[in-house]
Coordinates of all heavy atoms in Angstrom, one line a residue:
M23 N 25.2 -12.0 -16.6 CA 24.0 -11.4 -16.0 C 24.5 -10.4 -14.9 O 25.5 -10.6 -14.2 CB 23.2 -12.5 -15.3 CG 22.0 -12.0 -14.7 SD 20.8 -13.2 -14.1 CE 21.6 -14.8 -14.3
N24 N 23.8 -9.3 -14.9 CA 24.1 -8.3 -13.9 C 23.1 -8.3 -12.8 O 22.1 -9.0 -12.8 CB 24.0 -6.9 -14.6 CG 24.9 -6.8 -15.8 OD1 26.1 -7.0 -15.6 ND2 24.4 -6.4 -16.9
A25 N 23.4 -7.6 -11.7 CA 22.5 -7.5 -10.6 C 22.2 -6.1 -10.3 O 23.0 -5.2 -10.5 CB 23.1 -8.1 -9.3
V26 N 20.9 -5.8 -9.9 CA 20.5 -4.5 -9.4 C 20.2 -4.7 -7.9 O 19.4 -5.6 -7.6 CB 19.3 -4.0 -10.2 CG1 18.7 -2.8 -9.5 CG2 19.7 -3.7 -11.6
F27 N 20.8 -3.9 -7.1 CA 20.6 -4.0 -5.7 C 19.7 -2.8 -5.2 O 20.1 -1.6 -5.5 CB 21.9 -3.9 -4.9 CG 22.8 -5.1 -5.2 CD1 23.7 -5.0 -6.2 CD2 22.7 -6.3 -4.5 CE1 24.6 -6.0 -6.6 CE2 23.5 -7.3 -4.8 CZ 24.5 -7.2 -5.8
I28 N 18.7 -3.0 -4.5 CA 17.9 -2.0 -3.9 C 18.2 -2.0 -2.4 O 18.0 -3.0 -1.8 CB 16.4 -2.2 -4.2 CG1 16.1 -2.2 -5.7 CG2 15.5 -1.1 -3.5 CD1 16.5 -0.9 -6.4
S29 N 18.6 -0.8 -1.9 CA 19.0 -0.7 -0.5 C 17.8 -0.7 0.4 O 16.9 0.1 0.3 CB 19.8 0.6 -0.3 OG 19.9 0.9 1.0
R30 N 17.8 -1.6 1.3 CA 16.8 -1.7 2.3 C 16.8 -0.5 3.2 O 15.7 0.0 3.7 CB 16.9 -3.0 3.2 CG 15.8 -3.3 4.1 CD 16.1 -4.4 5.0 NE 16.5 -5.6 4.3 CZ 15.7 -6.6 4.0 NH1 14.4 -6.6 4.3 NH2 16.2 -7.7 3.4
S31 N 17.9 0.1 3.5 CA 18.0 1.3 4.4 C 17.5 2.5 3.7 O 16.9 3.4 4.3 CB 19.4 1.5 4.9 OG 20.3 1.7 3.9
A32 N 17.7 2.6 2.4 CA 17.3 3.8 1.6 C 15.8 3.7 1.2 O 15.1 4.7 1.1 CB 18.2 4.0 0.4
S33 N 15.4 2.5 0.9 CA 14.0 2.3 0.4 C 13.4 1.1 1.0 O 13.2 0.0 0.4 CB 14.1 2.1 -1.2 OG 14.7 3.2 -1.8
P34 N 13.1 1.1 2.3 CA 12.6 -0.1 3.0 C 11.3 -0.7 2.5 O 11.2 -1.9 2.4 CB 12.5 0.4 4.5 CG 12.4 1.9 4.4 CD 13.2 2.3 3.2
E35 N 10.4 0.2 2.1 CA 9.1 -0.4 1.6 C 9.2 -1.0 0.2 O 8.6 -2.0 -0.1 CB 8.0 0.6 1.8 CG 7.7 0.9 3.2 CD 6.4 1.6 3.5 OE1 5.4 1.2 2.8 OE2 6.4 2.5 4.4
A36 N 10.0 -0.3 -0.6 CA 10.2 -0.9 -2.0 C 11.0 -2.2 -1.9 O 10.7 -3.2 -2.6 CB 11.0 0.1 -2.9
A37 N 12.0 -2.2 -1.0 CA 12.8 -3.4 -0.8 C 11.9 -4.6 -0.3 O 12.0 -5.7 -0.8 CB 13.9 -3.2 0.2
Q38 N 11.0 -4.3 0.6 CA 10.1 -5.3 1.2 C 9.2 -5.8 0.1 O 8.9 -7.0 0.0 CB 9.4 -4.9 2.4 CG 8.6 -6.0 3.1 CD 9.6 -7.1 3.6 OE1 10.6 -6.8 4.3 NE2 9.3 -8.3 3.2
H39 N 8.7 -4.9 -0.8 CA 7.8 -5.3 -1.8 C 8.5 -6.2 -2.8 O 7.9 -7.2 -3.2 CB 7.3 -4.0 -2.6 CG 6.3 -4.3 -3.6 ND1 6.0 -3.4 -4.6 CD2 5.5 -5.4 -3.8 CE1 5.1 -4.0 -5.4 NE2 4.7 -5.1 -4.9
I40 N 9.8 -6.0 -3.1 CA 10.5 -6.9 -4.0 C 10.6 -8.3 -3.4 O 10.3 -9.3 -4.0 CB 12.0 -6.3 -4.2 CG1 11.9 -5.1 -5.1 CG2 12.9 -7.4 -4.9 CD1 13.2 -4.3 -5.1
L41 N 11.0 -8.3 -2.1 CA 11.1 -9.6 -1.4 C 9.7 -10.4 -1.4 O 9.7 -11.6 -1.6 CB 11.6 -9.4 0.0 CG 13.1 -8.9 0.1 CD1 13.4 -8.6 1.5 CD2 14.0 -9.9 -0.5
D42 N 8.7 -9.6 -1.1 CA 7.4 -10.3 -1.0 C 6.9 -10.7 -2.3 O 6.3 -11.8 -2.5 CB 6.3 -9.3 -0.4 CG 6.6 -8.9 1.1 OD1 7.3 -9.7 1.7 OD2 6.0 -7.9 1.5
A43 N 7.1 -9.9 -3.4 CA 6.7 -10.3 -4.7 C 7.5 -11.5 -5.2 O 6.9 -12.4 -5.8 CB 6.8 -9.1 -5.7
Q44 N 8.7 -11.5 -5.0 CA 9.5 -12.7 -5.4 C 9.1 -13.9 -4.6 O 9.0 -15.0 -5.2 CB 11.0 -12.4 -5.2 CG 11.6 -11.4 -6.2 CD 13.0 -11.1 -6.0 OE1 13.6 -11.4 -5.0 NE2 13.6 -10.3 -6.9
A45 N 8.8 -13.8 -3.3 CA 8.3 -14.9 -2.5 C 7.0 -15.5 -3.0 O 6.7 -16.7 -2.9 CB 8.2 -14.5 -1.0
A46 N 6.2 -14.6 -3.6 CA 4.9 -14.9 -4.2 C 5.0 -15.5 -5.6 O 4.0 -15.9 -6.2 CB 4.0 -13.7 -4.2
G47 N 6.2 -15.6 -6.1 CA 6.4 -16.2 -7.4 C 6.8 -15.3 -8.6 O 7.0 -15.8 -9.7
H48 N 6.9 -14.0 -8.3 CA 7.4 -13.1 -9.4 C 8.9 -13.4 -9.6 O 9.6 -13.6 -8.6 CB 7.1 -11.7 -9.0 CG 5.6 -11.4 -9.1 ND1 5.0 -11.1 -10.3 CD2 4.6 -11.3 -8.2 CE1 3.7 -10.9 -10.1 NE2 3.5 -11.0 -8.8
P49 N 9.4 -13.2 -10.8 CA 10.8 -13.6 -11.0 C 11.8 -12.6 -10.5 O 11.5 -11.4 -10.4 CB 10.8 -13.6 -12.6 CG 9.8 -12.7 -13.0 CD 8.7 -12.8 -12.0
A50 N 12.9 -13.1 -10.1 CA 14.1 -12.3 -9.7 C 14.9 -11.9 -10.9 O 15.6 -10.9 -10.9 CB 14.9 -13.0 -8.6
V51 N 15.0 -12.8 -11.9 CA 15.7 -12.6 -13.1 C 14.8 -11.9 -14.1 O 13.8 -12.5 -14.5 CB 16.3 -13.9 -13.7 CG1 17.1 -13.6 -15.0 CG2 17.3 -14.6 -12.7
L52 N 15.2 -10.7 -14.6 CA 14.4 -9.9 -15.4 C 15.1 -9.5 -16.7 O 16.3 -9.4 -16.7 CB 14.0 -8.6 -14.6 CG 13.3 -8.9 -13.3 CD1 13.1 -7.6 -12.4 CD2 11.9 -9.5 -13.5
T53 N 14.3 -9.2 -17.7 CA 14.9 -8.8 -19.0 C 14.6 -7.3 -19.3 O 13.5 -6.9 -19.3 CB 14.2 -9.6 -20.1 OG1 14.3 -11.0 -19.8 CG2 14.9 -9.3 -21.5
L54 N 15.7 -6.5 -19.4 CA 15.5 -5.1 -19.6 C 14.9 -4.8 -21.0 O 15.3 -5.3 -22.0 CB 16.9 -4.4 -19.6 CG 16.9 -2.9 -19.6 CD1 16.2 -2.3 -18.4 CD2 18.4 -2.4 -19.6
D55 N 13.8 -4.0 -21.0 CA 13.1 -3.7 -22.2 C 12.5 -2.3 -22.0 O 11.3 -2.2 -21.7 CB 12.0 -4.7 -22.6 CG 11.2 -4.3 -23.8 OD1 11.8 -3.5 -24.7 OD2 10.1 -4.8 -23.9
R56 N 13.3 -1.3 -22.2 CA 12.8 0.1 -22.0 C 11.7 0.5 -22.9 O 10.8 1.3 -22.6 CB 14.0 1.1 -22.1 CG 15.1 0.9 -21.1 CD 16.2 1.9 -21.4 NE 17.3 1.7 -20.4 CZ 18.4 0.9 -20.6 NH1 18.4 0.2 -21.7 NH2 19.3 0.9 -19.7
T57 N 11.7 0.0 -24.2 CA 10.7 0.5 -25.2 C 9.3 0.1 -24.8 O 8.4 0.8 -25.2 CB 11.1 -0.1 -26.5 OG1 11.1 -1.5 -26.5 CG2 12.4 0.4 -27.0
G58 N 9.1 -1.0 -24.1 CA 7.7 -1.4 -23.7 C 7.2 -0.8 -22.4 O 6.1 -1.2 -22.0
R59 N 8.0 0.0 -21.8 CA 7.7 0.5 -20.4 C 6.4 1.2 -20.3 O 5.6 0.8 -19.4 CB 8.8 1.4 -19.9 CG 8.6 1.9 -18.5 CD 9.7 2.8 -18.1 NE 9.9 3.9 -19.1 CZ 10.9 4.6 -19.1 NH1 11.9 4.5 -18.3 NH2 11.1 5.6 -20.1
P60 N 6.0 2.1 -21.1 CA 4.7 2.8 -20.9 C 3.5 1.9 -21.0 O 2.6 2.0 -20.1 CB 4.7 3.8 -22.1 CG 6.1 4.1 -22.4 CD 6.8 2.7 -22.2
A61 N 3.5 1.0 -21.9 CA 2.3 0.0 -22.0 C 2.3 -0.9 -20.9 O 1.2 -1.2 -20.3 CB 2.4 -0.7 -23.4
R62 N 3.5 -1.4 -20.4 CA 3.5 -2.3 -19.3 C 3.0 -1.5 -18.0 O 2.3 -2.1 -17.2 CB 4.9 -2.9 -19.1 CG 5.1 -4.0 -20.1 CD 6.4 -4.8 -19.8 NE 7.6 -4.0 -19.8 CZ 8.3 -3.8 -20.9 NH1 7.9 -4.3 -22.1 NH2 9.3 -3.0 -20.9
R63 N 3.5 -0.3 -17.8 CA 3.0 0.5 -16.7 C 1.5 0.6 -16.6 O 0.9 0.4 -15.6 CB 3.7 1.8 -16.6 CG 3.2 2.6 -15.4 CD 4.2 3.7 -14.9 NE 5.4 3.0 -14.4 CZ 6.6 3.3 -14.7 NH1 6.9 4.2 -15.6 NH2 7.6 2.7 -14.2
R64 N 0.9 1.0 -17.8 CA -0.5 1.2 -17.9 C -1.2 -0.1 -17.5 O -2.2 -0.1 -16.8 CB -0.9 1.6 -19.3 CG -0.7 3.1 -19.5 CD -1.4 3.6 -20.8 NE -1.0 2.8 -22.0 CZ 0.1 3.1 -22.7 NH1 0.9 4.1 -22.3 NH2 0.4 2.4 -23.8
A65 N -0.7 -1.2 -18.0 CA -1.3 -2.6 -17.8 C -1.2 -2.9 -16.3 O -2.2 -3.4 -15.7 CB -0.7 -3.6 -18.7
A66 N -0.1 -2.7 -15.7 CA 0.1 -3.0 -14.3 C -0.8 -2.2 -13.4 O -1.3 -2.7 -12.4 CB 1.6 -2.9 -13.9
L67 N -0.9 -0.9 -13.7 CA -1.7 0.0 -12.8 C -3.1 0.1 -13.1 O -3.9 0.7 -12.3 CB -1.0 1.4 -12.8 CG 0.5 1.4 -12.4 CD1 1.0 2.8 -12.5 CD2 0.7 0.8 -11.1
R68 N -3.6 -0.5 -14.2 CA -5.0 -0.5 -14.5 C -5.9 -1.0 -13.4 O -5.6 -2.1 -12.9 CB -5.3 -1.3 -15.8 CG -6.7 -1.1 -16.3 CD -6.8 -1.8 -17.7 NE -6.0 -1.1 -18.7 CZ -5.1 -1.6 -19.4 NH1 -4.8 -2.9 -19.3 NH2 -4.4 -0.9 -20.3
G69 N -6.8 -0.2 -13.0 CA -7.8 -0.6 -11.9 C -7.2 -0.4 -10.5 O -8.0 -0.7 -9.6
I70 N -6.0 0.1 -10.3 CA -5.4 0.3 -9.0 C -5.6 1.8 -8.7 O -4.9 2.6 -9.3 CB -4.0 -0.1 -8.9 CG1 -3.7 -1.5 -9.5 CG2 -3.4 0.1 -7.5 CD1 -4.0 -2.6 -8.6
P71 N -6.4 2.2 -7.8 CA -6.6 3.6 -7.5 C -5.4 4.2 -6.9 O -4.6 3.6 -6.2 CB -7.8 3.6 -6.6 CG -7.8 2.3 -5.9 CD -7.2 1.3 -6.9
T72 N -5.2 5.5 -7.1 CA -4.2 6.3 -6.5 C -4.6 6.6 -5.1 O -5.8 6.5 -4.7 CB -3.9 7.6 -7.2 OG1 -5.1 8.4 -7.3 CG2 -3.4 7.3 -8.7
Q73 N -3.6 6.9 -4.2 CA -3.8 7.3 -2.9 C -2.9 8.5 -2.6 O -1.8 8.6 -3.0 CB -3.5 6.2 -1.9 CG -4.4 5.0 -1.9 CD -4.1 4.0 -0.9 OE1 -3.3 4.2 0.0 NE2 -4.7 2.8 -1.0
P74 N -3.5 9.5 -1.9 CA -2.7 10.8 -1.7 C -1.4 10.5 -1.0 O -1.3 9.8 0.0 CB -3.7 11.6 -0.8 CG -5.0 11.1 -1.0 CD -4.8 9.6 -1.4
G75 N -0.3 11.1 -1.5 CA 1.0 11.0 -0.9 C 1.7 9.7 -1.1 O 2.8 9.5 -0.7
L76 N 1.1 8.8 -1.8 CA 1.7 7.5 -2.1 C 1.8 7.2 -3.6 O 1.1 7.7 -4.4 CB 0.8 6.3 -1.5 CG 0.6 6.4 0.0 CD1 -0.4 5.3 0.5 CD2 1.9 6.3 0.8
D77 N 2.8 6.4 -3.9 CA 3.0 5.9 -5.3 C 2.5 4.5 -5.4 O 2.6 3.8 -4.4 CB 4.5 6.0 -5.7 CG 5.0 7.3 -6.2 OD1 4.1 8.3 -6.3 OD2 6.2 7.5 -6.4
R78 N 2.2 4.1 -6.6 CA 1.9 2.7 -6.8 C 3.2 2.0 -7.3 O 3.6 2.3 -8.4 CB 0.7 2.6 -7.9 CG -0.6 3.1 -7.3 CD -1.6 3.2 -8.4 NE -1.2 4.3 -9.4 CZ -1.9 4.5 -10.5 NH1 -3.0 3.8 -10.8 NH2 -1.4 5.4 -11.3
D79 N 3.8 1.2 -6.5 CA 5.0 0.6 -6.8 C 4.7 -0.7 -7.5 O 3.9 -1.5 -7.0 CB 5.8 0.3 -5.5 CG 7.1 -0.3 -5.7 OD1 7.9 0.1 -6.6 OD2 7.5 -1.2 -4.9
E80 N 5.4 -1.0 -8.6 CA 5.2 -2.2 -9.3 C 6.4 -3.2 -9.2 O 7.5 -2.7 -9.2 CB 5.0 -1.9 -10.8 CG 4.1 -0.8 -11.2 CD 4.7 -0.1 -12.4 OE1 4.9 -0.7 -13.4 OE2 4.8 1.1 -12.3
Y81 N 6.1 -4.5 -9.1 CA 7.1 -5.5 -9.2 C 6.6 -6.6 -10.0 O 5.5 -7.1 -9.7 CB 7.6 -6.0 -7.9 CG 8.8 -6.9 -8.2 CD1 10.1 -6.3 -8.2 CD2 8.7 -8.2 -8.4 CE1 11.2 -7.1 -8.6 CE2 9.8 -9.0 -8.8 CZ 11.0 -8.4 -8.8 OH 12.1 -9.2 -9.2
P82 N 7.2 -7.0 -11.1 CA 8.4 -6.4 -11.7 C 8.2 -5.0 -12.2 O 7.1 -4.7 -12.7 CB 8.8 -7.4 -12.8 CG 8.0 -8.6 -12.6 CD 6.8 -8.2 -11.8
P83 N 9.2 -4.2 -12.1 CA 9.1 -2.8 -12.7 C 8.8 -2.8 -14.2 O 9.2 -3.8 -14.9 CB 10.5 -2.2 -12.4 CG 11.0 -3.0 -11.2 CD 10.5 -4.4 -11.5
A84 N 8.1 -1.8 -14.6 CA 7.6 -1.7 -16.0 C 8.8 -1.7 -17.0 O 8.6 -2.0 -18.2 CB 6.7 -0.5 -16.2
V85 N 10.0 -1.3 -16.6 CA 11.1 -1.2 -17.5 C 11.6 -2.6 -17.9 O 12.4 -2.8 -18.8 CB 12.3 -0.4 -16.8 CG1 12.9 -1.2 -15.7 CG2 13.3 0.0 -17.9
F86 N 11.1 -3.7 -17.3 CA 11.5 -5.0 -17.6 C 10.3 -5.7 -18.3 O 9.1 -5.5 -18.0 CB 11.8 -5.8 -16.3 CG 13.0 -5.2 -15.6 CD1 12.9 -4.5 -14.5 CD2 14.3 -5.4 -16.1 CE1 14.0 -3.9 -13.8 CE2 15.4 -4.9 -15.5 CZ 15.2 -4.1 -14.4
A87 N 10.7 -6.6 -19.3 CA 9.7 -7.3 -20.1 C 8.7 -8.1 -19.2 O 7.6 -8.3 -19.6 CB 10.4 -8.2 -21.1
E88 N 9.1 -8.5 -18.1 CA 8.3 -9.4 -17.2 C 7.2 -8.5 -16.5 O 6.3 -9.1 -15.8 CB 9.1 -10.1 -16.2 CG 10.0 -11.2 -16.8 CD 11.3 -10.6 -17.5 OE1 11.6 -9.4 -17.3 OE2 12.0 -11.4 -18.2
G89 N 7.3 -7.2 -16.5 CA 6.3 -6.3 -15.9 C 5.0 -6.3 -16.6 O 4.9 -7.0 -17.6
G90 N 4.1 -5.5 -16.2 CA 2.9 -5.3 -16.9 C 1.7 -6.0 -16.2 O 1.7 -6.1 -14.9
A91 N 0.7 -6.4 -16.9 CA -0.4 -7.1 -16.3 C 0.0 -8.2 -15.4 O 0.9 -9.0 -15.8 CB -1.4 -7.6 -17.4
G92 N -0.6 -8.3 -14.3 CA -0.2 -9.4 -13.3 C 0.9 -9.0 -12.4 O 1.2 -9.8 -11.5
S93 N 1.5 -7.8 -12.5 CA 2.5 -7.4 -11.6 C 1.9 -7.2 -10.2 O 0.8 -6.9 -10.1 CB 3.1 -6.1 -12.1 OG 3.9 -6.3 -13.3
S94 N 2.8 -7.3 -9.2 CA 2.4 -7.0 -7.9 C 2.4 -5.5 -7.8 O 3.4 -4.8 -8.2 CB 3.4 -7.6 -6.9 OG 3.1 -7.2 -5.6
V95 N 1.4 -4.9 -7.2 CA 1.3 -3.4 -7.1 C 1.0 -3.1 -5.6 O 0.1 -3.7 -5.1 CB 0.3 -2.8 -8.0 CG1 0.2 -1.2 -7.8 CG2 0.6 -3.1 -9.5
R96 N 1.8 -2.2 -5.0 CA 1.6 -1.9 -3.6 C 1.8 -0.4 -3.5 O 2.6 0.2 -4.1 CB 2.7 -2.6 -2.8 CG 2.6 -2.3 -1.3 CD 3.7 -3.1 -0.6 NE 3.4 -4.6 -0.7 CZ 4.2 -5.5 -0.2 NH1 5.3 -5.2 0.4 NH2 3.9 -6.8 -0.3
H97 N 0.9 0.3 -2.7 CA 1.1 1.7 -2.4 C 2.2 1.9 -1.3 O 2.1 1.2 -0.3 CB -0.2 2.2 -1.8 CG -1.3 2.3 -2.9 ND1 -2.2 1.3 -3.1 CD2 -1.6 3.3 -3.7 CE1 -3.0 1.6 -4.0 NE2 -2.7 2.8 -4.5
I98 N 3.2 2.7 -1.7 CA 4.3 3.0 -0.7 C 4.5 4.5 -0.8 O 4.1 5.2 -1.7 CB 5.5 2.2 -1.1 CG1 6.2 2.6 -2.4 CG2 5.3 0.7 -1.0 CD1 7.5 2.0 -2.7
P99 N 5.2 5.0 0.2 CA 5.5 6.4 0.3 C 6.3 6.8 -1.0 O 7.2 6.1 -1.5 CB 6.4 6.6 1.5 CG 6.0 5.5 2.4 CD 5.7 4.3 1.5
R100 N 5.9 8.0 -1.5 CA 6.5 8.5 -2.8 C 8.0 8.6 -2.7 O 8.7 8.2 -3.6 CB 5.9 9.9 -3.1 CG 6.4 10.5 -4.3 CD 5.5 11.7 -4.7 NE 4.2 11.1 -5.2 CZ 3.0 11.6 -4.8 NH1 2.9 12.7 -4.1 NH2 1.9 11.1 -5.2
S101 N 8.6 9.1 -1.6 CA 10.0 9.2 -1.4 C 10.7 7.8 -1.5 O 11.8 7.7 -2.1 CB 10.4 9.9 -0.2 OG 9.9 9.2 1.0
D102 N 10.1 6.8 -0.9 CA 10.7 5.5 -0.9 C 10.7 4.9 -2.3 O 11.7 4.4 -2.8 CB 9.8 4.6 0.0 CG 10.4 3.3 0.3 OD1 10.7 2.5 -0.6 OD2 10.6 3.0 1.5
N103 N 9.6 5.1 -3.0 CA 9.5 4.6 -4.4 C 10.5 5.3 -5.3 O 11.2 4.7 -6.2 CB 8.1 4.7 -4.9 CG 7.9 4.0 -6.2 OD1 8.3 2.9 -6.5 ND2 7.1 4.7 -7.1
R104 N 10.6 6.6 -5.2 CA 11.4 7.4 -6.1 C 12.9 7.1 -5.8 O 13.7 7.1 -6.7 CB 11.2 8.9 -5.9 CG 9.7 9.3 -6.1 CD 9.3 9.1 -7.6 NE 7.8 9.2 -7.8 CZ 7.1 10.3 -8.0 NH1 7.7 11.4 -8.2 NH2 5.8 10.2 -8.2
S105 N 13.2 6.8 -4.5 CA 14.6 6.4 -4.1 C 15.0 5.1 -4.8 O 16.0 5.0 -5.4 CB 14.7 6.3 -2.6 OG 16.0 5.7 -2.3
A106 N 14.1 4.1 -4.7 CA 14.3 2.8 -5.4 C 14.5 3.0 -6.9 O 15.3 2.4 -7.5 CB 13.2 1.9 -5.0
G107 N 13.6 3.8 -7.5 CA 13.7 4.0 -8.9 C 15.0 4.7 -9.3 O 15.6 4.3 -10.3
G108 N 15.5 5.6 -8.5 CA 16.8 6.3 -8.8 C 17.9 5.3 -8.6 O 18.8 5.3 -9.5
Q109 N 17.9 4.4 -7.6 CA 18.9 3.4 -7.5 C 19.0 2.5 -8.7 O 20.0 2.2 -9.2 CB 18.6 2.6 -6.2 CG 18.8 3.3 -4.9 CD 18.3 2.4 -3.8 OE1 18.9 1.3 -3.6 NE2 17.3 2.9 -3.1
M110 N 17.8 2.1 -9.2 CA 17.7 1.2 -10.3 C 18.2 1.9 -11.6 O 19.0 1.3 -12.3 CB 16.2 0.7 -10.5 CG 16.1 -0.4 -11.5 SD 14.4 -1.1 -11.6 CE 13.5 -0.2 -10.5
S111 N 17.8 3.1 -11.8 CA 18.2 3.9 -12.9 C 19.7 4.0 -13.0 O 20.3 3.8 -14.1 CB 17.5 5.3 -12.9 OG 18.0 6.0 -14.0
V112 N 20.4 4.4 -11.9 CA 21.8 4.5 -11.9 C 22.5 3.2 -12.3 O 23.4 3.1 -13.1 CB 22.3 5.0 -10.6 CG1 23.8 4.9 -10.4 CG2 21.9 6.5 -10.4
Q113 N 22.0 2.1 -11.7 CA 22.6 0.8 -12.0 C 22.4 0.3 -13.4 O 23.2 -0.5 -13.9 CB 22.2 -0.2 -10.9 CG 22.6 0.1 -9.5 CD 22.0 -0.8 -8.5 OE1 22.3 -1.9 -8.5 NE2 21.2 -0.2 -7.6
L114 N 21.3 0.7 -14.0 CA 21.0 0.2 -15.3 C 21.6 1.1 -16.4 O 21.5 0.8 -17.6 CB 19.4 0.1 -15.5 CG 18.8 -1.0 -14.7 CD1 17.3 -0.9 -14.9 CD2 19.3 -2.4 -15.2
R115 N 22.2 2.2 -16.0 CA 22.7 3.1 -17.0 C 23.7 2.4 -17.9 O 24.6 1.7 -17.4 CB 23.4 4.3 -16.3 CG 23.8 5.4 -17.3 CD 24.2 6.7 -16.5 NE 23.1 7.2 -15.8 CZ 23.1 7.7 -14.6 NH1 24.2 7.7 -13.9 NH2 22.0 8.2 -14.0
G116 N 23.5 2.5 -19.2 CA 24.4 1.8 -20.2 C 24.1 0.4 -20.5 O 24.7 -0.2 -21.4
A117 N 23.2 -0.2 -19.7 CA 22.8 -1.6 -19.9 C 21.9 -1.7 -21.2 O 21.0 -0.9 -21.4 CB 22.1 -2.2 -18.7
P118 N 22.2 -2.6 -22.1 CA 21.4 -2.7 -23.3 C 20.1 -3.4 -23.1 O 19.9 -4.3 -22.3 CB 22.3 -3.5 -24.2 CG 23.1 -4.4 -23.3 CD 23.3 -3.6 -22.1
N119 N 19.1 -3.0 -23.9 CA 17.8 -3.7 -23.9 C 18.1 -5.1 -24.2 O 19.0 -5.5 -25.1 CB 16.8 -3.1 -25.0 CG 16.1 -1.9 -24.5 OD1 16.0 -1.7 -23.3 ND2 15.7 -1.1 -25.4
G120 N 17.4 -6.0 -23.6 CA 17.6 -7.5 -23.8 C 18.5 -8.1 -22.9 O 18.5 -9.4 -22.8
C121 N 19.2 -7.3 -22.1 CA 20.1 -8.0 -21.1 C 19.3 -8.5 -19.9 O 18.2 -7.9 -19.7 CB 21.2 -7.0 -20.6 SG 20.7 -5.7 -19.5
T122 N 19.8 -9.4 -19.2 CA 19.1 -9.9 -18.0 C 19.8 -9.4 -16.8 O 21.0 -9.3 -16.8 CB 19.0 -11.5 -18.0 OG1 20.3 -12.0 -18.1 CG2 18.2 -12.0 -19.2
I123 N 19.0 -9.2 -15.8 CA 19.5 -8.7 -14.5 C 18.8 -9.5 -13.4 O 17.7 -10.1 -13.6 CB 19.4 -7.2 -14.2 CG1 17.9 -6.8 -14.1 CG2 20.0 -6.4 -15.3 CD1 17.5 -6.7 -12.6
T124 N 19.5 -9.6 -12.3 CA 18.8 -10.2 -11.1 C 18.5 -9.1 -10.1 O 19.4 -8.3 -9.7 CB 19.8 -11.2 -10.4 OG1 20.1 -12.3 -11.4 CG2 19.1 -11.9 -9.2
M125 N 17.3 -9.0 -9.7 CA 16.8 -7.9 -8.8 C 17.0 -8.5 -7.4 O 16.5 -9.5 -7.0 CB 15.4 -7.6 -9.1 CG 14.8 -6.5 -8.2 SD 15.5 -4.9 -8.6 CE 14.7 -4.5 -10.1
T126 N 17.8 -7.7 -6.6 CA 18.1 -8.2 -5.2 C 17.9 -7.0 -4.3 O 17.9 -5.8 -4.7 CB 19.5 -8.7 -5.1 OG1 20.4 -7.7 -5.5 CG2 19.7 -9.9 -6.0
V127 N 17.9 -7.3 -3.0 CA 17.8 -6.4 -1.9 C 19.0 -6.4 -1.1 O 19.5 -7.5 -0.8 CB 16.5 -6.6 -1.1 CG1 16.5 -5.7 0.2 CG2 15.2 -6.4 -1.9
G128 N 19.6 -5.3 -0.8 CA 20.8 -5.2 -0.1 C 20.6 -4.4 1.2 O 19.5 -4.0 1.5
P129 N 21.7 -4.3 2.0 CA 21.5 -3.6 3.3 C 21.2 -2.1 3.1 O 21.3 -1.5 2.0 CB 22.9 -3.7 3.9 CG 23.8 -4.3 2.9 CD 23.0 -4.8 1.7

């Protein structure tokens, strides 16, 4: 099993969202499934209005099989969300669909 670390200093609101969502019962161990991402993102964000200058951050992220309907969604600054997404993307590079990772927050 691999770990993905989201930096609290680079993405403080995304990192806090991860911690809060996990504390509320969302899983820390996730299954990579890039192919289902678009449908899971639509399901997670359905009915959540956009807000100017903010992104709708999802946990679990849509790139994981556990994402989708029932995900925790929080409005956070666009730069914070994009930073967290970039961190995740770099760490998942080369990881095969179906692998499991543990989503964690680091310094």
Side-chain angles (χ1 to χ4, degrees):
M23 181 169 11
N24 300 310
V26 168
F27 298 92
I28 299 301
S29 167
R30 187 186 307 265
S31 61
S33 304
E35 293 196 39
Q38 190 60 52
H39 186 201
I40 291 165
L41 295 172
D42 292 346
Q44 289 176 351
H48 290 279
V51 177
L52 303 169
T53 309
L54 187 60
D55 178 23
R56 293 177 182 91
T57 58
R59 180 180 53 194
R62 284 191 296 274
R63 176 155 294 129
R64 281 191 303 276
L67 300 180
R68 188 172 292 123
I70 311 279
T72 60
Q73 292 183 11
L76 300 176
D77 276 356
R78 295 171 292 175
D79 182 44
E80 314 146 51
Y81 188 87
V85 72
F86 297 104
E88 294 78 8
S93 292
S94 175
V95 178
R96 181 178 293 179
H97 291 91
I98 66 172
R100 183 165 288 136
S101 60
D102 192 299
N103 190 41
R104 305 292 165 93
S105 170
Q109 293 172 60
M110 192 175 359
S111 177
V112 166
Q113 294 174 65
L114 291 173
R115 191 168 292 138
N119 278 340
C121 76
T122 57
I123 68 98
T124 301
M125 182 70 71
T126 60
V127 171

